[in-house]
Amino acid sequence: TKSSSSSSSSTTTITTRMMQRNAPRMLPEDFIPSSTDILCGRDQESYMHEGNRVLRKLIKASIPSYLAAKTKVSKSHIVASIVRRIRSAGSCTGFIRKDLESRRWVEIGETKAKEKVGQAIRIEIRRSKTNMPSSNSPSSSSIKRTSIGSQYRSNGSGSSSSSSSNSNNG
């Protein structure tokens, strides 16, 4: 029975540690974010903060392996490794946000940090897909030229086929 009580106490300790890592933690009133912290927010201060710039670089560098990952578990490992790298950087507190009521900084916890990184990866993947024309498809201007040219050629008269069909109905 002694082993079962030590087993349950170690499980309780692990569970307590996990809850502490996941729970938001209010930081001291005089806390000032370091250059390695990640500021969670949509304002200019957050976007321009040095830690956020580093995070964006890490995310861009991880996209090929994220896209190559076949399972949710392997994608989760990539996200977790980014969070670990951020948290292990110097005197980094990690992922923090400003509490609107108290105006104090709050560390958001492990789960929220992973959610933020995962979402940032998916947004960056979407951005890169919309900003890059496909190498197999012609540009939109060549599509327009081709479709206009084919209308003129199919009619043979120089007017579009839709305008000639409208004149026959009138």
Side-chain angles (χ1 to χ4, degrees):
T1 60
K2 188 174 184 178
S3 65
S4 66
S5 67
S6 68
S7 172
S8 67
S9 76
S10 66
T11 303
T12 304
T13 305
I14 292 170
T15 304
T16 304
R17 276 193 219 135
M18 286 175 61
M19 287 172 43
Q20 288 172 344
R21 275 198 326 235
N22 288 324
R25 181 175 59 101
M26 189 71 69
L27 298 170
E29 283 185 41
D30 62 346
F31 177 81
I32 298 171
S34 76
S35 62
T36 56
D37 286 320
I38 306 303
L39 308 185
C40 299
R42 295 187 162 268
D43 59 345
Q44 189 71 15
E45 178 187 12
S46 298
Y47 185 80
M48 297 304 293
H49 187 72
E50 184 61 31
N52 293 49
R53 290 178 184 191
V54 170
L55 176 61
R56 286 193 298 274
K57 287 179 184 176
L58 287 172
I59 285 171
K60 284 182 182 181
S62 71
I63 287 175
S65 57
Y66 190 88
L67 290 172
K70 302 287 186 219
T71 65
K72 265 184 150 178
V73 171
S74 53
K75 289 179 181 189
S76 294
H77 287 301
I78 294 165
V79 168
S81 73
I82 293 171
V83 171
R84 268 193 313 276
R85 284 183 70 179
I86 293 296
R87 288 189 188 271
S88 67
S91 63
C92 179
T93 303
F95 293 78
I96 59 176
R97 67 170 171 79
K98 197 81 166 254
D99 181 64
L100 297 177
E101 288 180 27
S102 68
R103 304 299 301 155
R104 286 174 60 182
W105 290 102
V106 177
E107 203 234 337
I108 65 170
E110 191 82 7
T111 301
K112 281 283 187 197
K114 288 177 182 177
E115 287 172 10
K116 297 263 184 203
V117 170
Q119 183 62 29
I121 289 173
R122 290 186 293 276
I123 288 170
E124 187 58 36
I125 288 170
R126 250 182 276 132
R127 265 192 203 131
S128 64
K129 284 182 180 178
T130 58
N131 290 340
M132 247 188 258
S134 171
S135 60
N136 296 336
S137 65
S139 69
S140 60
S141 61
S142 67
I143 291 171
K144 287 178 185 173
R145 280 193 303 268
T146 304
S147 61
I148 291 170
S150 63
Q151 283 180 338
Y152 286 125
R153 271 185 249 113
S154 65
N155 187 320
S157 66
S159 63
S160 73
S161 57
S162 62
S163 63
S164 62
S165 65
N166 287 342
S167 62
N168 291 342
N169 293 337

